[in-house]
């Protein structure tokens, strides 16, 4: 596993973004792990997060695109932090764009904030976590309504590696349904590989009992 992925897993734990216990996802699934990117709360954390996203984007998509689009609301700081990191790390000036939940009818009018999108723009979409793949159904029509725009990919922080609407993973379904390349900074398999029975800062975060709970979760909700 690449060094930056190992660092990102530990970064999520330090920021209390990745937690283990008893949770319920938005789709109603009881899960022993939860990823809440709302816990990235400081400038230093967002700067570092943007660097991890920038690395994943560069690895999986390259930098031959024009706009990074982040759906409101969590996608807004992600686009800003990541475009800044791409500029600093790779010298590429990518425009950022997000949507508003409500159309603004005065001043900077419309549904978008940040850069407008137009014909021939190549767009990478950035999200926090995709569990069931429902958000992309709302995001793509907004992007495509801006003209002859070309969505080329979706990047998330963590691939939960569980079924989406049917029997395949959410990211697999997005690839097949929309023709989008998908990528994640890390997968849950990589999280388990890095943490299982391995001490971190003096304690073992993922012991045999937690590993068994995660295995049981994937037995129920994992990809068939």
């Amino acid at each position: 596993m690449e060094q930056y992925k190992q660092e990102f897993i530990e970064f999520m734990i330090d920021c209390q973004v990745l937690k283990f216990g008893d949770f319920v996802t938005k789709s109603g699934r009881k899960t022993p792990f939860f990823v809440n990117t709302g816990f990235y709360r400081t400038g230093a954390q967002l700067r570092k997060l943007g660097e991890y996203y920038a690395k994943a984007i560069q690895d999986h998509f390259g930098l031959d695109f024009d706009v990074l689009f982040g759906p409101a609301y969590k996608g807004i700081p992600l686009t800003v932090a990541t475009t800044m990191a791409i500029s600093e790390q790779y010298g590429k000036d990518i425009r950022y764009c997000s949507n508003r939940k409500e159309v603004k009818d005065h001043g900077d009018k419309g549904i978008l904030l940040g850069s407008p999108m137009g014909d021939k723009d190549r767009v990478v979409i950035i999200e926090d976590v995709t569990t069931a793949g429902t958000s992309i159904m709302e995001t793509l029509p907004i992007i495509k309504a801006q003209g002859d725009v070309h969505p080329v990919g979706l990047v998330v922080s963590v691939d939960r590696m569980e079924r989406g609407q049917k029997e395949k993973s959410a990211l697999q379904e997005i690839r097949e349904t929309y023709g989008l390349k998908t990528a994640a900074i890390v997968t849950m398999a990589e999280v388990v590989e890095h943490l299982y029975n391995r001490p971190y800062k003096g304690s073992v975060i993922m012991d045999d009992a937690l590993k068994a709970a995660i295995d049981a979760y994937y037995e129920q909700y994992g990809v068939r």
Side-chain angles (χ1 to χ4, degrees):
M1 188 191 315
E2 295 93 324
Q3 182 67 29
Y4 83 93
K5 292 188 174 188
Q6 298 178 38
E7 292 175 359
F8 179 65
I9 293 167
E10 295 170 3
F11 173 68
M12 286 193 293
I13 292 170
D14 290 342
C15 295
Q16 301 184 58
V17 166
L18 174 60
K19 296 183 178 181
F20 299 99
D22 296 311
F23 308 96
V24 178
T25 68
K26 185 178 180 180
S27 56
R29 297 172 179 175
K30 294 182 179 180
T31 173
F33 60 90
F34 197 72
V35 180
N36 184 356
T37 57
F39 276 82
Y40 295 120
R41 292 174 172 173
T42 72
Q45 290 171 348
L46 285 174
R47 183 186 185 95
K48 195 68 179 174
L49 177 62
E51 292 173 357
Y52 288 122
Y53 267 111
K55 175 63 175 171
I57 290 171
Q58 198 275 337
D59 282 357
H60 292 281
F61 301 107
L63 299 175
D64 185 22
F65 66 98
D66 306 291
V67 180
L68 187 64
F69 182 90
Y73 289 103
K74 287 184 178 180
I76 296 173
L78 297 182
T79 59
V80 174
T82 305
T83 51
M84 291 175 67
I86 290 172
S87 174
E88 293 172 353
Q89 292 184 328
Y90 303 108
K92 177 77 172 183
D93 203 18
I94 300 292
R95 288 144 48 205
Y96 87 90
C97 180
S98 296
N99 65 296
R100 295 183 172 96
K101 288 291 188 180
E102 297 178 356
V103 177
K104 188 178 179 183
D105 61 2
H106 62 280
D108 182 18
K109 297 180 180 180
I111 196 171
L112 301 181
L113 58 86
S115 172
M117 291 182 285
D119 291 349
K120 308 304 180 185
D121 275 341
R122 293 167 53 82
V123 181
V124 171
I125 303 164
I126 185 171
E127 291 189 0
D128 54 352
V129 180
T130 296
T131 301
T134 52
S135 62
I136 199 72
M137 292 187 290
E138 301 171 358
T139 299
L140 279 176
I142 294 171
I143 293 174
K144 292 183 176 181
Q146 309 309 310
D148 185 19
V149 180
H150 301 284
V152 297
L154 166 70
V155 61
V156 299
S157 61
V158 180
D159 180 357
R160 288 182 58 100
M161 299 181 66
E162 59 193 78
R163 295 197 306 276
Q165 300 294 323
K166 298 180 181 178
E167 294 301 311
K168 297 182 179 180
S169 75
L171 292 185
Q172 287 175 323
E173 290 178 357
I174 289 169
R175 284 195 296 269
E176 295 180 4
T177 303
Y178 304 106
L180 284 177
K181 183 177 180 181
T182 61
I185 303 175
V186 294
T187 67
M188 274 307 298
E190 290 169 329
V191 170
V192 172
E193 175 189 341
H194 184 61
L195 295 180
Y196 179 46
N197 278 343
R198 180 176 297 176
Y200 177 63
K201 293 187 174 179
S203 64
V204 173
I205 295 172
M206 187 177 296
D207 58 14
D208 290 341
L210 178 56
K211 173 66 160 51
I214 292 174
D215 288 345
Y217 181 78
Y218 281 112
E219 183 66 27
Q220 183 174 6
Y221 295 114
V223 177
R224 301 299 184 190

